[in-house]
Amino acid sequence: MHSISNYKHNFLLFAFICTSFFSAFAQKDSIDFYHEKISRLTHSLNFSENTPEYIDNLNQLSYYQRLIEQDSMLVNSERALALSKKNKYIQGELEALANLATLYLYTGQTDKSIEFSLETIKNPELSSFPKTEMKIYNILGQGYYFKNDYPSTYTQFLHTLAIAEKNSDQFHLFRMNMNLGTIFSRLEDNVEALKYYAVAFKHVKNLKDPTKEAMMLSNMAFLNIELGNLNQAKIELDETLALLEKNKQTTWLAWTFSTLGLYYLTLNDFDNALVNYQKSLDMHDEFNDVKAKADIKYGLGRSYLGLNNLVKAEANINESVMLYASSDYDTGLEKAYRTLYEISKSKDDVAESLKYLELTEKLSNDNFKKKNRRNLTMLNAKLNFEKETENLKAQNELAINQQRKYVKWALAALFTSLVIVFLILNANKREKLLNKKLANQAKILNKNQEALTQINSNQDRLFSIVGHDLRGPIISLNEILTLYLEDPEGKDYFEKFAPQLKEDLEQVQFTMDNLLHWGKTQMQGNTINVRSISVRNELDIILQLFRNEINKKAITINNQVAVNHSVFADLQQFNVIFRNLINNAIKFTPNEGMITIKTKIKDKNLVIQVSDTGVGMTESDVQKLFSDTENFSNYGTNLEKGTGLGLRLVKAMVIKNSGEIIVKSEPNKGSQFIVQLPVDIA
């Protein structure tokens, strides 16, 4: 057998096993210890291999062989399993099965590992041995993680955490909170990841293990950088470096230097970022971790770009592209392509910049859709686990109530008068509890009714948009294609109507994107990732996307946005806001008209104005723009279609980003949309 070196497996083992790769010597010591202990047992008088003591030591030896003596681990685990079954020793059997599941996980036989884990979980006596139970659920969760089944991973880890909480097991409380944090970090839900890491850090303090404490600090520092908590991140990084250098932990030291590089890159301190990324790269040459190396190469590229060394920047980013592609990490590819777009734009290479811009937008849309699907499946897994937990509580309460009844009947036979008094008091108590439960249930029903009403309203709106605005172009396309295939003159019709169909389908795509974004804003618990955004750069990208429509109507773009103006907002939602506003401005501006975009700082906000010389609106039309009860939509100056959804989506996203939107318009004098967002003073 052989160990897996695949980066996904390494990532998981670093985070989930925590110290496995740092404790090879400790494991060797443990293996020698149990070999010696077993040798003493076998040479003792009256030795029998059928005793629990011998089987337990065989299982312990097997467990410590998981990384460096895997062939021996298989032999010892199967021997322990056979002896346990022969002697009906349940705990030994469960431990042996858990060891086999661990072995198959480490050697890349994920399906077999899951099979052994599920077989072990079926045993009704497993709950009598909580440490083994936590071990097997943890292994099962890791198996599902390797299969990219994050909801199942999440469920198994939550189950393990619940057992750890019930038994006050400090190690597993630390381990499982760290595992859960790692899942959400992998899914780029940094806020949720940081919550679990913070809990794990509290428990790691009780373990008094400096290596595990350094690992937690390093992970928390990375997430705090992603969330913009730079001061806290620097404190955690300084503590991490001190602990790792003292304890000679090269692997996590390499990761921490990479995180320190990201910290300086976020501060635009490109010289220090370059130094730390280079240190990390030198150390990573000893490891086979593709994603980590890709991140370092990307960081080096961004650092060189900040220092205006375009040649080295492009070389490092291209290397990161190859590494991200080899590891199927689309989020990394998206940011790498966006950087190549910036480099090509700086080199005035229009063709290359447009190529990378299109790649970036495609990946951005694909990643956004994948993230939405993941969020929905994770939410479903969480709800199912909570439902199972509630059902278990209800069963426990039922059992307790049944036991109480038996006690009452026993007391009734001996102390009739006391039982009567007790029943009266108990009845009053239960009535109060029932009334309280009924009142709480009524509140829950009211909340559910409100939520259902909102869902129905949203559903009606979606059906209206899909039926009215999306169905038409698709029917037209179907009819034209039918003529093209079946009518001799179909080709002429196709060529005649193809340009209009293309515009209709582009509008369908734009509408579908708005529907997806709008649907996400309606989800409870939806979070945004706030970061510093260069307004000029992002608006330039959006204007490039609409270049065909602008040129077709010969519209003049008067871009007065200051280069140094930045805001704090979610990048995805910022782009949705201004794609809709600029699209509307183009739609309602006549041929040879003008669109003006300018910015100014007002108090602690950046005011971004998008003005056009279009058809304008009456005051009553302006009042309908953001209405939840009316669907307001007009045709553009060239009969462009709309859904009326875009501006409601814009307002929802502006509010989510702590901003405000104002509309000023008069008929035949154009319109002005004014968006205020928190300014990035730095």
Side-chain angles (χ1 to χ4, degrees):
M1 295 187 180
H2 58 281
S3 296
I4 290 297
S5 60
N6 178 284
Y7 96 92
K8 289 182 181 177
H9 289 209
N10 278 347
F11 176 86
L12 186 66
L13 293 173
F14 273 120
F16 292 173
I17 310 301
C18 301
T19 57
S20 294
F21 286 96
F22 309 135
S23 57
F25 293 108
Q27 287 195 15
K28 187 66 173 66
D29 291 341
S30 298
I31 290 170
D32 292 341
F33 172 80
Y34 282 103
H35 269 306
E36 183 178 347
K37 193 171 182 182
I38 289 172
S39 178
R40 287 199 305 269
L41 276 174
T42 55
H43 288 90
S44 63
L45 293 174
N46 302 320
F47 164 74
S48 171
E49 64 178 11
N50 296 316
T51 62
E53 183 182 9
Y54 176 74
I55 296 171
D56 287 344
N57 280 285
L58 204 58
N59 273 325
Q60 286 293 332
L61 173 62
S62 172
Y63 177 73
Y64 283 107
Q65 290 172 325
R66 66 193 184 280
L67 291 177
I68 55 181
E69 293 182 5
Q70 293 172 340
D71 290 322
S72 298
M73 180 183 185
L74 177 62
V75 173
N76 289 326
S77 295
E78 289 180 340
R79 182 62 180 157
L81 180 61
L83 289 171
S84 297
K85 288 183 175 180
K86 175 185 174 182
N87 295 282
K88 298 182 180 179
Y89 180 38
I90 300 300
Q91 185 176 6
E93 179 181 345
L94 294 172
E95 270 295 317
L97 285 170
N99 283 339
L100 285 167
T102 303
L103 173 65
Y104 293 129
L105 181 74
Y106 279 39
T107 55
Q109 301 176 71
T110 308
D111 290 331
K112 203 166 185 179
S113 174
I114 292 173
E115 177 185 342
F116 271 82
S117 298
L118 292 174
E119 180 183 347
T120 309
I121 288 170
K122 289 178 183 177
N123 193 306
E125 296 189 50
L126 178 62
S127 59
S128 301
F129 311 101
K131 288 193 179 296
T132 306
E133 187 179 18
M134 288 185 284
K135 179 179 177 181
I136 198 65
Y137 275 106
N138 183 36
I139 291 297
L140 181 58
Q142 293 179 46
Y144 284 129
Y145 185 94
F146 286 170
K147 304 280 287 183
N148 293 322
D149 186 351
Y150 298 119
S152 295
T153 304
Y154 180 58
T155 301
Q156 304 310 320
F157 287 166
L158 281 178
H159 191 92
T160 312
L161 181 60
I163 300 169
E165 289 173 344
K166 180 180 178 181
N167 292 276
S168 301
D169 188 310
Q170 290 299 314
F171 174 72
H172 280 92
L173 284 171
F174 152 72
R175 188 183 203 180
M176 301 321 300
N177 277 290
M178 184 169 178
N179 288 4
L180 289 162
T182 300
I183 292 175
F184 285 103
S185 177
R186 179 70 173 165
L187 297 176
E188 300 172 352
D189 189 344
N190 295 329
V191 174
E192 194 71 9
L194 194 59
K195 289 179 183 176
Y196 282 108
Y197 277 157
V199 177
F201 186 72
K202 291 180 181 178
H203 292 295
V204 82
K205 285 287 189 181
N206 297 328
L207 297 176
K208 302 186 186 306
D209 186 328
T211 300
K212 293 185 179 69
E213 184 175 343
M215 290 160 52
M216 284 305 313
L217 285 166
S218 183
N219 282 334
M220 292 169 70
F222 176 81
L223 290 178
N224 274 315
I225 292 171
E226 291 288 297
L227 293 168
N229 305 326
L230 299 182
N231 292 334
Q232 182 62 29
K234 187 61 167 64
I235 293 170
E236 290 162 348
L237 283 169
D238 289 341
E239 291 183 38
T240 302
L241 288 171
L243 287 168
L244 292 177
E245 289 173 349
K246 181 179 179 181
N247 291 277
K248 310 294 183 186
Q249 298 294 355
T250 308
T251 306
W252 274 89
L253 193 59
W255 164 256
T256 304
F257 277 126
S258 175
T259 306
L260 191 58
L262 176 63
Y263 167 78
Y264 284 115
L265 192 62
T266 306
L267 291 174
N268 294 330
D269 185 348
F270 303 111
D271 288 315
N272 276 320
L274 196 62
V275 169
N276 284 283
Y277 275 123
Q278 191 59 53
K279 285 182 182 179
S280 181
L281 182 63
D282 294 339
M283 292 182 177
H284 266 85
D285 287 339
E286 301 175 13
F287 316 128
N288 184 22
D289 191 341
V290 178
K291 180 189 172 296
K293 192 169 183 179
D295 288 338
I296 294 169
K297 285 291 183 180
Y298 173 79
L300 286 169
R302 292 299 306 186
S303 301
Y304 280 121
L305 179 59
L307 295 170
N308 206 29
N309 189 335
L310 300 183
V311 174
K312 288 189 176 181
E314 187 172 17
N316 279 281
I317 295 298
N318 279 325
E319 284 189 57
S320 76
V321 166
M322 290 187 293
L323 292 168
Y324 283 135
S326 71
S327 57
D328 295 325
Y329 190 52
D330 289 342
T331 302
L333 273 176
E334 178 187 344
K335 65 183 183 181
Y337 281 139
R338 185 177 290 276
T339 302
L340 287 173
Y341 160 75
E342 294 178 32
I343 294 172
S344 300
K345 188 177 177 183
S346 299
K347 293 163 64 177
D348 294 326
D349 190 340
V350 177
E352 283 292 297
S353 65
L354 289 177
K355 179 184 79 174
Y356 288 123
L357 176 61
E358 290 174 358
L359 286 170
T360 302
E361 288 300 314
K362 183 180 183 303
L363 278 171
S364 177
N365 289 332
D366 290 345
N367 290 337
F368 178 74
K369 293 173 185 176
K370 288 178 184 177
K371 188 174 181 181
N372 274 346
R373 286 195 294 269
R374 283 201 307 262
N375 289 341
L376 287 172
T377 54
M378 289 294 287
L379 176 61
N380 186 54
K382 183 178 181 181
L383 292 175
N384 286 337
F385 181 80
E386 290 176 350
K387 184 177 180 181
E388 290 175 4
T389 303
E390 288 300 320
N391 288 339
L392 184 61
K393 287 181 179 178
Q395 291 173 6
N396 290 337
E397 288 180 2
L398 185 62
I400 291 170
N401 287 335
Q402 191 66 33
Q403 291 174 3
R404 286 176 178 170
K405 288 181 181 179
Y406 292 147
V407 172
K408 292 175 188 176
W409 293 339
L411 291 174
L414 299 173
F415 308 102
T416 305
S417 60
L418 292 176
V419 169
I420 293 173
V421 173
F422 174 78
L423 288 174
I424 293 172
L425 294 174
N426 191 57
N428 290 334
K429 180 180 178 182
R430 292 178 66 183
E431 183 180 358
K432 291 178 181 178
L433 287 173
L434 182 60
N435 290 336
K436 187 176 181 180
K437 287 182 179 179
L438 288 173
N440 290 335
Q441 191 64 36
K443 291 180 181 178
I444 294 171
L445 288 173
N446 288 335
K447 289 181 180 179
N448 289 343
Q449 181 62 42
E450 291 173 4
L452 183 60
T453 302
Q454 183 62 43
I455 290 170
N456 289 335
S457 174
N458 294 341
Q459 178 179 284
D460 291 341
R461 187 175 301 152
L462 284 172
F463 281 137
S464 173
I465 291 170
V466 172
H468 183 268
D469 295 282
L470 303 185
R471 189 167 176 268
I474 294 172
I475 292 173
S476 299
L477 175 60
N478 183 55
E479 291 175 352
I480 291 297
L481 288 175
T482 302
L483 284 173
Y484 182 86
L485 295 172
E486 299 177 1
D487 192 318
E489 297 179 1
K491 184 176 181 180
D492 295 334
Y493 281 104
F494 186 87
E495 291 178 350
K496 179 179 179 182
F497 291 102
Q500 181 60 44
L501 280 174
K502 182 176 182 299
E503 293 181 4
D504 287 345
L505 290 175
E506 287 175 347
Q507 182 61 32
V508 168
Q509 181 182 356
F510 188 86
T511 301
M512 288 299 295
D513 286 342
N514 273 348
L515 283 171
L516 288 172
H517 290 301
W518 179 78
K520 184 180 178 184
T521 64
Q522 305 305 305
M523 292 174 61
Q524 292 185 0
N526 179 47
T527 60
I528 61 173
N529 186 13
V530 177
R531 50 164 288 187
S532 177
I533 299 172
S534 172
V535 175
R536 179 63 182 247
N537 286 348
E538 295 303 324
L539 291 182
D540 283 347
I541 293 172
I542 294 171
L543 290 169
Q544 281 291 325
L545 294 175
F546 289 110
R547 61 187 181 279
N548 291 334
E549 289 82 356
I550 293 170
N551 293 337
K552 183 177 179 180
K553 298 180 78 170
I555 294 172
T556 299
I557 301 297
N558 181 13
N559 192 344
Q560 300 180 24
V561 177
V563 175
N564 62 337
H565 279 174
S566 299
V567 295
F568 271 115
D570 181 277
L571 179 60
Q572 184 81 30
Q573 296 193 4
F574 179 92
N575 285 325
V576 171
I577 291 167
F578 288 98
R579 278 205 299 266
N580 275 280
L581 294 181
I582 292 173
N583 179 64
N584 279 354
I586 295 169
K587 182 164 63 173
F588 294 109
T589 298
N591 295 342
E592 299 183 353
M594 177 182 289
I595 295 173
T596 301
I597 308 173
K598 59 184 179 180
T599 58
K600 65 178 181 180
I601 294 176
K602 180 181 179 182
D603 297 327
K604 295 183 179 180
N605 292 315
L606 184 68
V607 179
I608 308 170
Q609 299 178 0
V610 180
S611 307
D612 61 61
T613 57
V615 298
M617 295 174 284
T618 64
E619 185 176 346
S620 62
D621 286 343
V622 171
Q623 297 297 322
K624 298 175 184 177
L625 287 179
F626 305 114
S627 173
D628 287 328
T629 57
E630 297 185 68
N631 193 44
F632 178 76
S633 177
N634 281 334
Y635 284 91
T637 57
N638 285 357
L639 299 180
E640 300 97 324
K641 296 180 180 178
T643 65
L645 177 65
L647 288 177
R648 283 197 294 273
L649 177 62
V650 166
K651 184 175 181 181
M653 287 188 171
V654 168
I655 292 172
K656 273 186 174 289
N657 285 274
S658 304
E660 182 181 1
I661 184 168
I662 301 170
V663 182
K664 298 179 181 179
S665 183
E666 292 184 38
N668 302 318
K669 290 186 179 181
S671 300
Q672 184 181 67
F673 287 80
I674 304 167
V675 176
Q676 295 186 34
L677 292 171
V679 69
D680 180 6
I681 302 299

